[in-house]
């Protein structure tokens, strides 16, 4: 376990990130850099492994100072909150509860006021009430909030006209503005992300108290391993340690490598773990992943967040769910109907059709119904605001409306009325 005598040097894997200006994002630290001190590897074994999608920080000195500082900060989330969520997710896996996990694709460091947080949470509360009526079980609400500041990218660079700059990787890394200074990965943003997460959590707790629920759960993709490692904290039980950055963390579609650093990190923390599952996943791979991340088969430990696309889910999901049912390995199955249904509208904006999103959710439910397994939840990108980013809905957004209020930093989100439409579509099918 990390102690105050550990230095930031133990945590920071020197240059394990990519050089976004010169190379592919996939530098193998085992060969590209000298081995770190043996002690560091014992505490942080994921440092030995290849970590994809890490930024090429412009100043390693700043990174070290920030990691050192984060190591002294209060945990954002206590171990008991992680354990409470794990017990809720155990009910999800067992077919006794439904997960609603939602929030921005990428949170905005400049939007930490209470209004945006409350708008999201009240949208989710409204959806939760409808889903509860539709499905007849308790709904567990988890924010994709208070830490969702880092984005994996397919393209490491963005070209506009003559100018090529590092891709936007989330507000914890760089700014979205297309300017050389803003796009340079700046590790001091990690501290701002921590602070914005703390403020967001405070608003979330306030909202929950007023709503009389008392329970607040946060989640994000555990992408930036320097940040996540700096926020590791011991649990009350011997040998336990938690990512104190969020109640639940997930591994993204692009970092789901069995022998990669992200999976290794997840193995060594006791939080509930989500894993995104794309159309390329095989049953064999996912069973191997479950053996690695959840060797003791702890109920609620592992949730698969399936993002196949409306056109594929009916064909690709059954063998995966069936393999787990046959092997008797209990996990939660949750549908992310966003990331497999992204299209480019005329004019080039990324968008998603609500009809495709609903179609994937229906496909997901049908697969589970036919196998006699439980469709455990939804993972959504939404906002409580009246944005025009996704197409369709009862208050219809059409292509020509997209430019009006398109404010996402990354992927297109459902607005409030589209979010409620989605919940109502489930009520119409299953209520
Ligand atoms: C996301 O959730 O915003 C994301 C990048 O998803 P995925 O890893 O499934 O592509
Ligand atoms: Co997204």
């Amino acid at each position: 376990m990390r102690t105050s005598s550990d230095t930031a040097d133990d945590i920071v894997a020197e240059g394990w990130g990519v050089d976004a200006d010169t190379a592919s994002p996939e530098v193998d630290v085992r060969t590209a850099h000298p081995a770190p001190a043996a002690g560091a590897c014992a505490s942080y074994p994921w440092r030995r492994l290849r970590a994809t999608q890490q930024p090429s920080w412009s100043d390693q000195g700043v990174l070290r100072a920030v990691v050192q500082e984060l190591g002294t900060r209060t945990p954002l989330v206590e171990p008991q909150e992680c354990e409470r969520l794990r017990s809720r997710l155990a009910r999800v896996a067992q077919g006794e509860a439904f997960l609603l996990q939602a929030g921005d694709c990428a949170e905005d460091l400049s939007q930490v006021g209470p209004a945006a947080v409350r708008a999201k949470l009240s949208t989710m509360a409204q959806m939760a009430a409808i889903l509860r009526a539709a499905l007849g079980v308790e709904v567990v609400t988890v924010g994709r909030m208070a830490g969702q500041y880092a984005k994996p990218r397919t393209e490491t660079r963005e070209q506009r006209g003559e100018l090529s700059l590092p891709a936007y990787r989330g507000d914890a890394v760089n700014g979205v503005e297309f300017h050389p200074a803003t796009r340079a990965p700046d590790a001091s943003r990690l501290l701002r992300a921590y602070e914005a997460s703390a403020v967001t959590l405070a608003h979330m707790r306030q909202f929950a108290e007023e709503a009389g629920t008392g329970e607040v759960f946060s989640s994000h993709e555990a992408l930036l391993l320097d940040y996540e490692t700096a926020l590791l904290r011991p649990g009350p039980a011997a040998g336990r340690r938690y990512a104190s950055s969020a109640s639940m963390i997930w591994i993204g579609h692009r970092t789901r490598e069995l022998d990669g650093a992200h999976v290794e990190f997840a193995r060594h923390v006791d939080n509930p773990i989500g894993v995104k599952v794309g159309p390329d996943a095989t049953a064999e791979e996912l069973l191997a992943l479950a053996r690695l991340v959840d060797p003791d088969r702890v109920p609620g430990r592992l949730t698969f967040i399936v993002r196949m696309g409306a056109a594929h889910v009916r064909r690709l999901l059954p063998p995966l769910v069936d393999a787990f049912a046959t092997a008797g390995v209990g996990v939660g199955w949750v549908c992310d109907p966003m990331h497999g249904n992204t299209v480019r509208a005329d004019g080039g904006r990324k968008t998603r059709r609500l009809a495709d999103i609903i179609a994937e959710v229906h496909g997901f439910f049908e697969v589970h119904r036919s196998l006699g397994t439980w469709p455990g939840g939804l993972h959504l990108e939404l906002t409580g605001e009246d944005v025009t980013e996704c197409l369709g809905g009862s208050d219809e957004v059409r292509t020509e409306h997209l430019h009006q209020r398109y404010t996402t930093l990354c992927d297109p989100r459902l607005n409030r009325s589209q979010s409620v439409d989605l919940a109502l579509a489930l009520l119409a099918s299953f209520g």
Side-chain angles (χ1 to χ4, degrees):
M1 174 37 41
R2 176 151 201 266
T3 67
S4 54
S5 64
D6 281 340
T7 65
D9 288 353
D10 286 347
I11 293 179
V12 174
E14 185 165 358
W16 73 353
V18 295
D19 183 350
D21 288 331
T22 57
S24 89
E26 292 158 6
V27 170
D28 185 337
V29 295
R30 287 167 296 192
T31 54
H33 300 284
C41 272
S43 298
Y44 314 116
W46 48 96
R47 281 200 50 187
R48 280 191 286 255
L49 303 178
R50 161 186 160 111
T52 56
Q53 297 281 348
Q54 303 305 290
S56 171
W57 300 111
S58 24
D59 186 332
Q60 287 287 319
V62 173
L63 176 63
R64 282 195 169 73
V66 164
V67 163
Q68 189 86 45
E69 174 65 24
L70 285 171
T72 68
R73 293 294 180 104
T74 318
L76 291 167
V77 166
E78 296 290 342
Q80 301 87 296
E81 297 172 281
C82 303
E83 287 300 326
R84 196 177 312 133
L85 177 55
R86 196 184 51 67
S87 67
R88 298 281 187 279
L89 293 172
R91 291 173 57 78
V92 167
Q94 283 149 14
E96 295 159 358
F98 191 79
L99 173 66
L100 175 61
Q101 184 174 23
D104 293 318
C105 178
E107 287 182 286
D108 184 335
L109 276 180
S110 69
Q111 299 284 315
V112 292
V117 172
R118 300 177 82 87
K120 253 173 247 157
L121 293 177
S122 68
T123 303
M124 287 163 70
Q126 201 176 342
M127 295 178 76
I130 299 168
L131 292 168
R132 188 183 155 72
L135 303 167
V137 295
E138 134 204 4
V139 176
V140 183
T141 302
V142 175
R144 197 187 141 108
M145 296 169 71
Q148 178 54 19
Y149 291 103
K151 301 308 301 172
R153 301 316 298 261
T154 306
E155 303 294 336
T156 60
R157 302 193 59 88
E158 185 179 341
Q159 180 90 32
R160 290 193 198 171
E162 296 288 285
L163 189 57
S164 161
L165 293 177
Y168 172 63
R169 287 183 178 272
D171 273 11
V173 176
N174 56 5
V176 76
E177 186 201 2
F178 195 73
H179 185 280
T182 320
R183 284 292 175 91
D186 171 5
S188 70
R189 285 174 165 270
L190 294 173
L191 211 46
R192 290 174 61 198
Y194 168 88
E195 279 160 3
S197 301
V199 171
T200 302
L201 269 167
H203 294 321
M204 290 168 77
R205 294 201 163 104
Q206 176 82 29
F207 180 93
E209 206 167 290
E210 285 165 20
T213 62
E215 243 179 24
V216 166
F217 298 123
S218 60
S219 69
H220 63 258
E221 178 174 350
L223 184 71
L224 301 177
L225 292 176
D226 293 321
Y227 178 82
E228 300 298 339
T229 305
L231 288 174
L232 275 176
R233 296 292 182 272
R240 298 229 160 190
R241 60 181 177 179
Y242 292 82
S244 74
S245 60
S247 326
M248 175 187 191
I249 53 173
W250 76 82
I251 299 173
H253 172 57
R254 292 165 189 75
T255 50
R256 196 191 65 230
E257 292 165 323
L258 290 178
D259 57 354
H262 292 86
V263 168
E264 186 71 5
F265 177 80
R267 288 182 61 209
H268 286 86
V269 301
D270 286 291
N271 307 55
I273 301 294
V275 178
K276 292 288 200 96
V277 173
D280 59 327
T282 63
E284 201 175 55
E285 176 207 343
L286 295 188
L287 283 165
L289 203 145
R291 282 193 294 274
L292 281 174
V293 174
D294 183 23
D296 301 328
R297 301 203 188 165
V298 176
R301 160 75 169 161
L302 185 56
T303 302
F304 286 124
I305 305 166
V306 182
R307 29 88 85 226
M308 301 284 187
H312 308 296
V313 65
R314 285 182 177 79
R315 181 173 49 90
L316 298 179
L317 182 57
L320 306 183
V321 176
D322 197 37
F324 276 75
T326 304
V329 179
V331 294
W333 294 97
V334 167
C335 176
D336 165 359
M338 313 300 292
H339 289 90
N341 295 310
T342 313
V343 293
R344 292 266 173 199
D346 293 346
R349 284 181 198 276
K350 274 204 271 185
T351 189
R352 293 158 173 159
R353 293 184 197 88
L354 180 60
D356 293 341
I357 291 167
I358 292 173
E360 179 157 359
V361 174
H362 277 151
F364 176 82
F365 271 76
E366 275 169 39
V367 167
H368 284 285
R369 194 191 300 146
S370 70
L371 294 171
T373 49
W374 176 242
L378 294 177
H379 180 112
L380 304 171
E381 291 182 343
L382 60 75
T383 172
E385 267 119 80
D386 184 22
V387 300
T388 53
E389 297 170 6
C390 291
L391 298 169
S394 52
D395 188 7
E396 192 182 354
V397 176
R398 294 199 296 268
T399 306
E400 62 268 28
H401 301 142
L402 286 179
H403 72 277
Q404 289 174 352
R405 289 178 302 283
Y406 192 99
T407 57
T408 183
L409 292 176
C410 194
D411 290 339
R413 303 160 295 178
L414 297 171
N415 62 27
R416 185 180 192 118
S417 115
Q418 290 167 332
S419 302
V420 173
D421 285 340
L422 170 57
L424 289 172
L426 280 174
L427 182 63
S429 312
F430 305 106

Coordinates of all heavy atoms in Angstrom, one line a residue, residues 291-338:
R291 N -11.9 -14.1 -15.0 CA -11.0 -14.9 -14.1 C -10.0 -13.9 -13.6 O -9.5 -14.1 -12.4 CB -10.4 -16.0 -14.9 CG -11.3 -17.2 -15.1 CD -10.5 -18.5 -15.5 NE -10.0 -18.3 -16.9 CZ -10.6 -18.6 -18.0 NH1 -11.9 -19.1 -17.9 NH2 -10.1 -18.4 -19.2
L292 N -9.5 -13.0 -14.4 CA -8.5 -12.1 -13.9 C -9.0 -11.1 -12.9 O -8.4 -10.8 -11.9 CB -7.9 -11.3 -15.1 CG -6.9 -12.0 -16.0 CD1 -6.6 -11.1 -17.2 CD2 -5.6 -12.3 -15.2
V293 N -10.1 -10.4 -13.3 CA -10.6 -9.2 -12.5 C -11.4 -9.7 -11.3 O -11.5 -9.0 -10.3 CB -11.4 -8.3 -13.4 CG1 -12.0 -7.2 -12.7 CG2 -10.4 -7.7 -14.5
D294 N -12.1 -10.9 -11.5 CA -13.0 -11.3 -10.4 C -12.8 -12.8 -10.1 O -13.7 -13.6 -10.2 CB -14.4 -11.1 -10.9 CG -15.5 -11.4 -9.8 OD1 -15.1 -11.5 -8.6 OD2 -16.6 -11.7 -10.2
P295 N -11.5 -13.1 -9.7 CA -11.2 -14.6 -9.5 C -12.0 -15.2 -8.4 O -12.3 -16.4 -8.5 CB -9.7 -14.5 -9.2 CG -9.4 -13.2 -8.7 CD -10.4 -12.3 -9.4
D296 N -12.4 -14.4 -7.4 CA -13.2 -15.0 -6.3 C -14.7 -14.9 -6.5 O -15.5 -15.2 -5.6 CB -12.8 -14.3 -5.0 CG -11.3 -14.4 -4.7 OD1 -10.8 -15.4 -5.1 OD2 -10.7 -13.4 -4.2
R297 N -15.1 -14.4 -7.7 CA -16.5 -14.3 -8.1 C -17.3 -13.6 -7.0 O -18.3 -14.1 -6.5 CB -17.1 -15.7 -8.3 CG -16.4 -16.4 -9.5 CD -17.2 -17.4 -10.1 NE -16.4 -18.2 -11.1 CZ -16.9 -19.3 -11.6 NH1 -18.0 -19.8 -11.2 NH2 -16.1 -20.0 -12.5
V298 N -16.8 -12.4 -6.7 CA -17.5 -11.5 -5.7 C -18.8 -10.9 -6.3 O -18.7 -10.3 -7.4 CB -16.5 -10.4 -5.2 CG1 -17.2 -9.5 -4.2 CG2 -15.3 -11.0 -4.6
P299 N -19.9 -11.2 -5.8 CA -21.1 -10.6 -6.4 C -21.1 -9.1 -6.5 O -20.7 -8.4 -5.5 CB -22.3 -11.1 -5.4 CG -21.7 -12.3 -4.7 CD -20.2 -12.0 -4.6
G300 N -21.4 -8.6 -7.7 CA -21.4 -7.2 -7.9 C -20.0 -6.6 -8.3 O -19.9 -5.4 -8.6
R301 N -19.0 -7.4 -8.3 CA -17.7 -6.9 -8.6 C -17.6 -6.5 -10.1 O -17.0 -5.5 -10.5 CB -16.7 -8.1 -8.3 CG -15.3 -8.0 -9.0 CD -14.4 -6.9 -8.3 NE -13.1 -7.0 -8.8 CZ -12.2 -6.1 -8.8 NH1 -12.5 -4.9 -8.2 NH2 -10.9 -6.3 -9.2
L302 N -18.2 -7.3 -11.0 CA -17.9 -7.1 -12.4 C -19.2 -6.9 -13.2 O -20.2 -7.7 -13.1 CB -17.2 -8.4 -13.0 CG -16.7 -8.4 -14.4 CD1 -15.8 -7.2 -14.7 CD2 -16.0 -9.7 -14.8
T303 N -19.2 -5.8 -14.0 CA -20.4 -5.5 -14.8 C -19.9 -5.3 -16.3 O -19.0 -4.5 -16.5 CB -21.0 -4.2 -14.3 OG1 -21.4 -4.4 -13.0 CG2 -22.3 -3.9 -15.1
F304 N -20.5 -6.0 -17.2 CA -20.1 -5.8 -18.6 C -21.1 -4.8 -19.2 O -22.3 -4.9 -19.0 CB -20.2 -7.1 -19.4 CG -19.1 -8.0 -19.1 CD1 -19.3 -9.3 -18.7 CD2 -17.8 -7.6 -19.3 CE1 -18.2 -10.2 -18.4 CE2 -16.7 -8.5 -19.0 CZ -16.9 -9.8 -18.6
I305 N -20.5 -3.8 -19.8 CA -21.3 -2.7 -20.4 C -21.2 -2.9 -21.9 O -20.2 -2.6 -22.6 CB -20.8 -1.3 -20.0 CG1 -20.7 -1.2 -18.4 CG2 -21.6 -0.2 -20.6 CD1 -19.9 -0.1 -17.9
V306 N -22.3 -3.4 -22.5 CA -22.2 -3.9 -23.9 C -22.6 -2.8 -24.9 O -23.6 -2.2 -24.7 CB -23.2 -5.1 -24.1 CG1 -23.1 -5.6 -25.5 CG2 -22.9 -6.2 -23.0
R307 N -21.7 -2.5 -25.9 CA -22.0 -1.5 -26.8 C -21.7 -2.0 -28.2 O -20.7 -1.7 -28.8 CB -21.2 -0.2 -26.5 CG -19.8 -0.4 -25.8 CD -18.7 -0.6 -26.7 NE -18.1 0.6 -27.2 CZ -17.8 0.8 -28.4 NH1 -18.0 -0.1 -29.4 NH2 -17.2 2.0 -28.8
M308 N -22.6 -2.7 -28.7 CA -22.5 -3.5 -30.0 C -23.0 -2.6 -31.2 O -22.5 -2.8 -32.3 CB -23.3 -4.8 -30.0 CG -22.9 -5.7 -28.9 SD -21.4 -6.5 -29.3 CE -21.3 -7.8 -28.0
G309 N -24.0 -1.8 -31.0 CA -24.7 -1.2 -32.1 C -26.0 -1.9 -32.4 O -26.1 -3.1 -32.2
A310 N -27.0 -1.1 -32.8 CA -28.4 -1.7 -32.9 C -28.3 -2.8 -34.0 O -29.1 -3.8 -33.9 CB -29.3 -0.6 -33.4
A311 N -27.5 -2.7 -35.0 CA -27.4 -3.7 -36.1 C -26.8 -5.0 -35.7 O -26.9 -6.0 -36.4 CB -26.7 -3.1 -37.3
H312 N -26.1 -5.0 -34.5 CA -25.3 -6.2 -34.2 C -25.7 -6.9 -32.9 O -25.3 -8.1 -32.7 CB -23.8 -5.8 -34.1 CG -23.3 -5.1 -35.2 ND1 -23.2 -5.7 -36.5 CD2 -22.8 -3.8 -35.4 CE1 -22.7 -4.8 -37.4 NE2 -22.5 -3.7 -36.7
V313 N -26.4 -6.2 -32.0 CA -26.6 -6.8 -30.7 C -27.3 -8.1 -30.7 O -26.9 -9.0 -29.9 CB -27.2 -5.7 -29.7 CG1 -28.7 -5.4 -30.2 CG2 -27.2 -6.2 -28.3
R314 N -28.3 -8.3 -31.5 CA -29.0 -9.5 -31.5 C -28.2 -10.7 -31.9 O -28.5 -11.8 -31.5 CB -30.3 -9.4 -32.4 CG -31.4 -8.5 -31.9 CD -32.6 -8.5 -32.8 NE -33.7 -7.8 -32.3 CZ -33.8 -6.4 -32.2 NH1 -32.8 -5.7 -32.8 NH2 -34.8 -5.8 -31.7
R315 N -27.2 -10.5 -32.8 CA -26.4 -11.5 -33.3 C -25.2 -11.8 -32.4 O -24.8 -12.9 -32.1 CB -25.9 -11.2 -34.7 CG -25.0 -12.2 -35.4 CD -24.8 -11.8 -36.9 NE -24.4 -10.4 -37.0 CZ -23.1 -10.0 -37.0 NH1 -22.1 -10.9 -36.9 NH2 -22.8 -8.7 -37.1
L316 N -24.5 -10.7 -31.9 CA -23.3 -10.8 -31.2 C -23.4 -11.0 -29.7 O -22.5 -11.6 -29.1 CB -22.4 -9.6 -31.5 CG -22.0 -9.4 -32.9 CD1 -21.2 -8.1 -33.1 CD2 -21.3 -10.6 -33.5
L317 N -24.5 -10.6 -29.1 CA -24.5 -10.7 -27.6 C -24.9 -12.1 -27.2 O -24.3 -12.6 -26.1 CB -25.5 -9.7 -27.1 CG -25.7 -9.6 -25.6 CD1 -24.4 -9.4 -24.9 CD2 -26.7 -8.6 -25.2
P318 N -25.8 -12.9 -27.8 CA -26.2 -14.2 -27.2 C -25.1 -15.1 -26.9 O -25.0 -15.7 -25.8 CB -27.1 -14.7 -28.3 CG -27.7 -13.5 -29.0 CD -26.6 -12.5 -29.0
P319 N -24.1 -15.3 -27.8 CA -23.0 -16.2 -27.4 C -22.2 -15.8 -26.2 O -21.7 -16.7 -25.4 CB -22.1 -16.3 -28.6 CG -22.5 -15.2 -29.6 CD -23.9 -14.8 -29.2
L320 N -22.1 -14.5 -25.9 CA -21.4 -14.0 -24.8 C -22.2 -14.3 -23.5 O -21.7 -14.9 -22.5 CB -21.1 -12.5 -24.9 CG -20.4 -12.0 -26.1 CD1 -20.2 -10.5 -26.1 CD2 -19.1 -12.8 -26.4
V321 N -23.4 -13.9 -23.5 CA -24.3 -14.1 -22.3 C -24.4 -15.6 -22.0 O -24.4 -16.1 -20.9 CB -25.7 -13.5 -22.5 CG1 -26.6 -13.8 -21.3 CG2 -25.5 -12.0 -22.7
D322 N -24.6 -16.4 -23.1 CA -24.8 -17.8 -23.0 C -23.6 -18.5 -22.4 O -23.7 -19.4 -21.5 CB -25.1 -18.4 -24.4 CG -25.7 -19.8 -24.3 OD1 -26.5 -20.0 -23.4 OD2 -25.3 -20.6 -25.2
A323 N -22.4 -18.1 -22.8 CA -21.2 -18.7 -22.3 C -21.1 -18.5 -20.7 O -20.6 -19.4 -20.0 CB -19.9 -18.1 -23.0
F324 N -21.4 -17.3 -20.3 CA -21.4 -17.0 -18.8 C -22.4 -17.8 -18.1 O -22.2 -18.3 -17.0 CB -21.5 -15.5 -18.5 CG -20.2 -14.8 -18.7 CD1 -19.6 -14.6 -19.9 CD2 -19.5 -14.4 -17.5 CE1 -18.4 -13.9 -20.0 CE2 -18.2 -13.8 -17.6 CZ -17.7 -13.6 -18.9
A325 N -23.6 -17.9 -18.7 CA -24.7 -18.7 -18.0 C -24.3 -20.1 -17.9 O -24.4 -20.8 -16.9 CB -26.0 -18.5 -18.8
T326 N -23.7 -20.7 -19.0 CA -23.3 -22.1 -19.1 C -22.2 -22.3 -18.0 O -22.2 -23.4 -17.4 CB -22.8 -22.4 -20.5 OG1 -23.9 -22.1 -21.4 CG2 -22.4 -23.9 -20.6
A327 N -21.2 -21.4 -18.0 CA -20.1 -21.5 -17.0 C -20.5 -21.2 -15.6 O -19.7 -21.5 -14.7 CB -19.0 -20.6 -17.4
G328 N -21.7 -20.7 -15.4 CA -22.2 -20.4 -14.1 C -21.4 -19.2 -13.4 O -21.3 -19.1 -12.2
V329 N -20.9 -18.3 -14.3 CA -20.2 -17.1 -13.8 C -21.2 -15.9 -13.8 O -21.6 -15.5 -14.9 CB -19.0 -16.8 -14.7 CG1 -18.2 -15.6 -14.2 CG2 -18.0 -18.0 -14.7
G330 N -21.5 -15.4 -12.6 CA -22.4 -14.3 -12.5 C -21.8 -13.0 -12.7 O -20.8 -12.6 -12.0
V331 N -22.3 -12.2 -13.6 CA -21.8 -10.8 -13.8 C -23.1 -10.0 -14.2 O -24.1 -10.6 -14.5 CB -20.8 -10.7 -15.0 CG1 -19.5 -11.4 -14.7 CG2 -21.4 -11.2 -16.3
G332 N -23.0 -8.7 -14.1 CA -24.0 -7.8 -14.5 C -23.9 -7.6 -16.0 O -22.8 -7.4 -16.5
W333 N -25.0 -7.5 -16.7 CA -25.0 -7.2 -18.2 C -25.8 -5.9 -18.3 O -27.0 -5.8 -18.0 CB -25.7 -8.3 -19.0 CG -24.9 -9.6 -19.0 CD1 -25.2 -10.6 -18.2 CD2 -23.8 -9.9 -19.8 NE1 -24.3 -11.7 -18.5 CE2 -23.4 -11.2 -19.5 CE3 -23.1 -9.2 -20.8 CZ2 -22.3 -11.9 -20.1 CZ3 -22.0 -9.9 -21.4 CH2 -21.6 -11.2 -21.1
V334 N -25.1 -4.9 -18.9 CA -25.7 -3.5 -19.0 C -25.6 -3.1 -20.5 O -24.6 -3.4 -21.1 CB -25.0 -2.6 -18.0 CG1 -25.3 -1.1 -18.3 CG2 -25.4 -2.9 -16.6
C335 N -26.6 -2.4 -21.0 CA -26.5 -1.9 -22.4 C -26.1 -0.5 -22.5 O -26.8 0.4 -21.9 CB -28.0 -2.1 -22.9 SG -28.2 -1.5 -24.6
D336 N -25.0 -0.2 -23.2 CA -24.7 1.1 -23.6 C -25.1 1.2 -25.1 O -24.4 0.7 -26.0 CB -23.1 1.3 -23.5 CG -22.6 2.5 -24.3 OD1 -23.4 3.2 -24.9 OD2 -21.4 2.8 -24.2
P337 N -26.3 1.8 -25.4 CA -26.8 1.9 -26.7 C -26.3 3.2 -27.5 O -26.8 3.5 -28.5 CB -28.3 2.0 -26.5 CG -28.4 2.8 -25.2 CD -27.2 2.5 -24.4
M338 N -25.2 3.8 -26.9 CA -24.7 5.1 -27.5 C -23.6 4.8 -28.5 O -23.6 5.3 -29.6 CB -24.3 6.0 -26.4 CG -25.2 6.2 -25.2 SD -26.8 6.8 -25.6 CE -26.5 8.5 -26.1

